């Protein structure tokens, strides 16, 4: 055992300064907090010595790591004393300082095992502790040699010194305790490992390879209790023995909807910032990433939850955040030459945001000397099961012989337990945890006597019932706890797998974990700076949780939610967690509010996560009893945002969701929400190449907006209408609506960011585009004005506007590349890479690519490469954004023809024309048809010329009634090309002349250049 002795420095002096009354107050406060600390570390306060405290660790209850616990308690008492001293110092102008001494050894103790109060420790060892105290520096902790030897691996000590102490002639060795190392785990020791030989060999082999630079991911799978965590621990021990650091993160069932939780935990562990306060942690981060961009570091701070709240988070789209963080973290881990091992436990509970980002991060893993170990249960089907190159170790139940060996380890070899052993083995069915729990259950019931590995039994086995399932066994053990212990366990289960002492006391003032630790239900996993505990196994938590009365649980959840709300700073970082607890407390409205707040918080960080929250909020709202006046509007709000943002996650446009929204809005007379949801649906349909459906809704939306008559709303939702109607070829209507929007905006170009990027510059650019297509003057002024403003906007708005102002005019032959255009498209791409979402990046890439291709020369190849990159990503999406994907395909077809592969070119161009025609994307049939005609006429088989003729005829019929001048220009060009292919010279000359004159008259520079080269 270890004795702790603490004493106030110069208490007489303090008494003289503040009076004995006040001194008593101060001492009482000090003793209070110290007593609490000692208890927390499993020690016993032996007596208060007037102005000091004496405590014992390791008696009456044996604690293997008594010396470590005493050290940690001593450090924490000093920390508490400093807090108190700051308070006292301010009020009473005195220095309050403690000296603490520790000594370990055999202590002769009276009445071992009796109640705390009457327990008295005596002996020479106590004297030594007191002497250590007397030579400790004020505010410090002095360890005797015997204690120092026990803890030297777990704490940091000053140099050993020789000190002269009272009553001892020769100087004795002593060391100052400086600080605790973080890695200490209070886990009780495991029973010897049984079996799992090949698994461990395999993992060892993979670890070897990883260390040598071929990083690897291994999954350990199997049902609860089969030994996944144990195998991970064994592997970690192998790694640690080779001085390889191991960093772990745990997923938890109740936290699987909390975005980036697991990732943040793993990063915090691996960056070793966990034990620091937030500002110190930020400092460390900056030491770790000396080369990083300051803005990237702000993003990382935000992810890790250590952001400086006085510095605003930069306005960066979630996708860009992800890209930049991945680059940042990967570059750091690629630069890291020292091997490391990472463990992700219970990935079946991982949150989606962490999962997808980690899966991304793992792509760089094979090039680093790291091993990633992931454990999960067989029901998990997530992204980690699909990582290419990952190994899987599937754990089977222990074999019969192994199971018997394990039982023997647990029970021992006494003849009296032979029969029990057979029962245990049979019941446990090869599940080691089940075996352990059965043995604990039997020991608690008195069927077994003694300690692990040395049990005896006097019971008549015919009476002994072993519960049939692991859950029932755990349940039986929980039932046997006394009231306090059970209440503590219940409260803990509500908090989660891991819980801190402080939050536990918030839920239950009288919480006491010592019985739970003794009963091997809970382990202490962290000592400094604050005690932290964990359930020994997730199943223990699950069973505890499930076995509580719902109503009791609800009270705890509600209290916990309130406590978290108390501690949370100005931001809604913990909104998701609060929502989870309120939901578990069956507080529908509270949960609804917090789910909505959590969604708002997530919106800039991850739209998909925000949407998951809105779905949860929707669930809450739907459960609110009918007749509640708030119900309808609560049901509408999340649905509106779900419909409104579906296009952001490449959704296809959920008609069912929208139909529900429409009904609810009708019932509530809420046209605004309907309009917002409809705009989102239009955009999703439009982006999914369903222009005809989108146009129908767009017409309805225009009418609806007229009816609502709110200028701001009309402006906000205009982008979807303009995009759709333009693509459908209704250019006249586009011009009218764009003008209306611009009028309504009254010169405020920055307004209207609701679910779309900033809409007014878009409307101006679209007005310019419509004007040019209709052969009306003034378009260049529109383009210039739109771009001037777009340059001040976010990446998505900037690239969106540049598509209308630059890309489409290029593609349609209205413009040719010019210096500002080339500079802007380069800037857009750079900005989109820095801060745009993936869609914005696609837009920027393709815009830049098309601009480069049109400038020709050496830029062409770079342009084509950009298009290919865009095409690859778009091709992977479920949704196919016609604007981008098909226009890119058209350019690809031209390129194929240029390289001589006319067969592929014809196929691709034909496919593009058919697709675009079928979906009603009239305006994109222009470049596609032009490309098809050109590649057909390049190949120029007889049937190709016939086909070209038919293609032109069909297209002309389709477009002529739209009255768009641009179509006429293209028609002239294509017909001229056809005439030449047919060797109809005079017809060709005439068409070419008309084409050139028309281009000249309209000022279409692109066409002028094309005509000149004919
Ligand atoms: N092969 C084994 N030999 C001895 N004990 C084992 C073995 N496998 C698991 N255990 C013990 O069984 C208990 C449950 O194992 P654990 O790894 O936590 O299961 P899982 O993570 O698969 O749910 C632990 O106490 C562990 O030490
Ligand atoms: Mg486990």
């Amino acid at each position: 055992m270890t004795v702790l002795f603490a004493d106030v420095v110069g208490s007489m002096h303090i008494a003289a300064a503040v009076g004995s009354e006040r001194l008593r107050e101060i001492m009482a406060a000090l003793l209070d907090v110290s007593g609490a600390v000692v208890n927390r570390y499993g020690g016993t306060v032996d007596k208060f010595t007037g102005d000091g405290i004496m405590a014992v660790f390791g008696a009456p209850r044996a604690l293997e790591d008594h010396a470590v616990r005493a050290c940690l308690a001593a450090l924490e008492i000093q920390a508490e004393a400093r807090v108190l001293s700051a308070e006292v110092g301010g009020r009473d102008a005195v220095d309050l300082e403690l000296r603490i001494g520790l000594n370990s050894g055999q202590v002769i103790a009276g009445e071992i095992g009796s109640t705390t109060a009457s327990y008295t420790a005596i002996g020479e060892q106590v004297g030594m502790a007191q002497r250590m105290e007397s030579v400790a520096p004020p505010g410090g902790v002095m360890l005797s040699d015997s204690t120092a030897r026990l803890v030297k691996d777990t704490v940091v000590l000053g140099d050993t010194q020789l000190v002269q102490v009272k009553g001892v002639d020769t100087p004795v060795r002593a060391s100052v305790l400086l600080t605790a190392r973080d890695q200490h785990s209070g886990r009780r020791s495991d029973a010897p490992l049984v079996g799992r030989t090949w698994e461990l060999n395999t993992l060892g082999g993979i670890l070897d390879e990883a260390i040598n630079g071929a990083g690897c991911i291994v999954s350990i799978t199997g049902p609860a209790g089969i030994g996944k965590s144990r195998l991970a621990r064994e592997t970690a021990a192998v790694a640690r023995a080779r001085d390889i650091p191991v960093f772990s993160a745990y997923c938890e069932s109740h936290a699987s909807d909390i975005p980036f939780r697991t990732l943040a935990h793993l990063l915090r562990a691996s960056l070793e910032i966990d034990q620091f306060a937030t500002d110190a942690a930020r400092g460390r981060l900056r030491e770790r990433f000396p080369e990083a961009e300051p803005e990237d570091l702000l993003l990382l701070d935000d992810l890790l939850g250590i952001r400086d709240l006085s510095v605003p988070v930069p306005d960066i789209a979630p996708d860009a955040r992800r890209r930049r963080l991945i680059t940042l973290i990967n570059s750091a881990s690629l630069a890291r030459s020292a091997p490391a091992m990472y463990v992700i436990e219970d990935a079946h509970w991982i949150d989606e945001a962490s999962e997808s980002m980690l899966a991304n991060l793992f792509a760089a893993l094979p090039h680093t000397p790291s091993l990633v170990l992931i454990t999960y249960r067989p029901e998990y089907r997530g992204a980690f099961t699909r990582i290419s190159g990952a190994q899987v170790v599937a754990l089977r139940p222990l074999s019969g012989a192994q199971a018997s060996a394990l039982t023997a380890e647990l029970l021992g070899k006494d003849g009296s337990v032979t029969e029990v052993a057979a029962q245990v083995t049979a019941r446990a069915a090869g599940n080691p945890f089940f075996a352990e729990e059965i043995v604990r259950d039997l020991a608690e019931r008195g069927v077994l006597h003694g300690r692990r590995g040395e049990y005896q039994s006097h019971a008549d086995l015919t009476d002994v019932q072993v519960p049939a399932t692991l859950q029932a066994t755990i349940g039986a053990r929980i039932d046997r706890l006394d009231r306090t212990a059970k209440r503590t366990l219940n409260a803990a289960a509500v908090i989660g797998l891991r819980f801190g002492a402080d939050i536990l006391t918030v839920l239950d003032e009288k919480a006491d974990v010592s019985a739970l630790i003794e009963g091997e239900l809970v382990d202490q996993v962290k000592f400094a700076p604050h005690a932290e505990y964990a359930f020994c196994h997730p199943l223990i938590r699950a069973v505890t949780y499930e076995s509580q009365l719902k109503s009791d649980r609800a009270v705890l959840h509600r209290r916990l939610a309130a406590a978290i709300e108390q501690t949370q700073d100005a931001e809604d970082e913990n909104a998701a967690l609060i929502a989870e607890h309120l939901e578990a407390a069956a507080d529908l409205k509270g949960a609804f509010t917090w789910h909505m707040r959590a969604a708002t918080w997530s919106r800039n960080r991850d739209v998909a996560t925000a949407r998951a929250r809105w779905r949860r909020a929707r669930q809450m709202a739907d459960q609110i009893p009918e007749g509640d006046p708030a119900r309808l509007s609560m049901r509408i709000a999340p649905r509106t945002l779900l419909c409104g943002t579906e296009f952001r996650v490449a959704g296809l446009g959920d008609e069912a969701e929208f139909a529900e929204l429409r009904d609810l809005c009708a019932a509530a007379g809420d046209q605004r929400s309907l309009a917002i949801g409809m705009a989102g649906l239009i955009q999703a349909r439009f982006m999914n190449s369903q222009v005809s459906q989108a146009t129908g809704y767009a017409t309805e939306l225009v009418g609806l907006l007229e009816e609502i008559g709110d200028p701001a709303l009309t402006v906000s939702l205009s982008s979807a209408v303009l995009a759709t109607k333009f693509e459908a070829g209704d250019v006249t209507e586009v011009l009218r609506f764009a003008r209306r929007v611009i009028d309504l905006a009254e010169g405020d170009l920055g307004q209207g960011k609701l679910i779309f990027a900033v809409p007014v510059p878009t409307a101006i650019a679209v007005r310019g585009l419509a004007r040019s297509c209709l052969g009306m003057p003034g378009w260049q002024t529109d383009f210039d004005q739109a771009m001037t403003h777009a340059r001040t906007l976010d990446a998505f708005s900037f690239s969106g506007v540049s598509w209308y102002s630059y890309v489409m005019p290029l593609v349609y032959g209205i413009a040719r590349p010019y210096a500002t255009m080339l500079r802007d498209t380069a800037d857009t791409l750079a900005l989109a890479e820095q801060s745009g979402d993936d869609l914005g990046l696609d837009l920027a890439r393709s815009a830049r690519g098309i601009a480069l291709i049109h400038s020709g020369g050496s830029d062409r190849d770079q342009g084509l490469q950009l298009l290919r990159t865009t095409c690859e990503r778009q091709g992977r999406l479920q949704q196919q954004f016609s604007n981008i994907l098909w226009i890119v395909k058209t350019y690809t077809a031209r390129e194929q023809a240029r390289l001589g592969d006319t067969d592929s070119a014809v196929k691709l161009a034909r496919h593009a024309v058919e697709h675009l025609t079928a979906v009603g994307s009239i305006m994109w049939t222009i470049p596609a048809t032009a490309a098809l005609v050109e590649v057909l006429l390049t190949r120029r088989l007889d049937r190709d010329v016939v086909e070209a003729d038919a293609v032109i005829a069909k297209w002309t019929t389709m477009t002529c009634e739209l009255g768009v001048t641009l179509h006429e220009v293209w028609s002239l060009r294509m017909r001229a090309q056809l005439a030449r292919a047919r060797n109809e010279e005079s017809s060709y000359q005439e068409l070419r002349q008309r084409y050139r004159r028309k281009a000249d008259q309209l000022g279409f520079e692109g066409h002028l250049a094309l005509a000149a080269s004919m």
Side-chain angles (χ1 to χ4, degrees), residues 229 345-346 537:
S229 301
E345 279 264 36
D346 293 325
H537 194 277

Side-chain angles (χ1 to χ4, degrees), residues 2-7 53-55 70 74 78 98-104 125-126 128-137 140-144 147 175:
T2 298
V3 182
L4 178 155
F5 224 95
D7 206 9
I53 189 171
M54 175 178 148
Q78 288 292 20
L98 282 184
R99 286 194 178 100
I100 300 182
L102 299 182
N103 178 45
S104 308
Q125 311 298 347
V126 178
M128 182 55 92
Q130 201 163 8
R131 288 183 192 108
M132 285 297 125
E133 179 270 308
S134 70
V135 294
V141 182
M142 188 67 92
L143 271 51
S144 74
T147 305
S175 326

Side-chain angles (χ1 to χ4, degrees), residues 269-476:
S270 65
L271 296 168
E272 301 180 292
I273 55 170
D274 253 340
Q275 62 268 49
F276 294 98
T278 50
D279 40 353
R282 282 197 298 276
R284 251 188 90 86
L285 215 58
R286 276 143 189 82
E287 285 165 26
R288 290 292 294 262
F289 298 98
E291 320 251 284
E293 295 275 333
E295 211 177 55
D296 287 354
L297 287 169
L298 291 180
L299 296 181
L300 191 56
D301 289 345
D302 188 46
L303 176 74
L304 298 177
I306 55 170
R307 186 163 85 78
D308 178 352
L309 292 173
S310 62
V311 180
V313 193
D315 179 17
I316 292 171
D319 292 333
R321 283 174 176 246
R322 189 175 314 125
R323 285 195 305 268
R324 287 171 68 168
L325 285 169
I326 287 172
T327 312
L328 177 69
I329 297 164
N330 268 348
S331 66
S333 61
L334 288 172
R336 188 190 162 107
S337 53
M341 173 172 163
Y342 304 88
V343 182
I344 300 172
E345 279 264 36
D346 293 325
H348 42 276
W349 289 317
I350 196 166
D351 64 278
E352 244 180 80
S354 293
E355 185 186 43
S356 75
M357 190 141 152
L358 279 165
N360 262 315
L361 283 169
F362 291 159
L365 204 77
H367 313 291
T368 68
S370 2
L371 176 67
V372 172
L373 217 82
I374 305 173
T375 68
Y376 54 83
R377 296 186 189 161
E379 61 266 23
Y380 173 70
R381 295 270 179 281
F384 292 164
T385 61
R386 294 186 296 272
I387 296 172
S388 69
Q391 308 288 331
V392 180
V393 173
L395 291 184
R396 290 177 297 181
L398 298 179
S399 71
Q402 290 167 345
S404 305
L406 177 60
T407 317
E409 290 289 356
L410 295 172
L411 291 177
K413 304 217 166 54
D414 193 88
S416 65
V417 298
T418 322
E419 232 175 297
V420 187
Q423 266 203 39
V424 173
T425 308
R427 207 15 91 65
N431 183 309
F433 184 49
F434 199 178
E436 284 181 357
E437 288 298 291
I438 295 171
V439 171
R440 288 193 186 108
D441 175 52
L442 292 173
E444 284 168 10
R445 280 197 272 159
V447 177
L448 297 172
H449 299 277
R451 340 181 328 162
R452 189 177 79 195
E454 301 168 10
Y455 284 114
Q456 297 182 340
S457 178
H458 314 304
D460 177 1
L461 277 173
T462 46
D463 298 343
V464 177
Q465 298 270 324
V466 175
T469 65
L470 179 48
Q471 280 75 3
T473 313
I474 297 170

Side-chain angles (χ1 to χ4, degrees), residues 187-188 190-196 223-231 233 345 398 406 432-433 436 537:
R187 239 196 107 77
R188 76 211 131 85
D190 285 311
L193 185 73
V194 170
R196 304 301 187 216
I226 202 74
K228 302 180 290 298
S229 301
R230 175 66 185 266
L231 194 56
R233 272 205 302 284
E345 279 264 36
L398 298 179
L406 177 60
F433 184 49
E436 284 181 357
H537 194 277

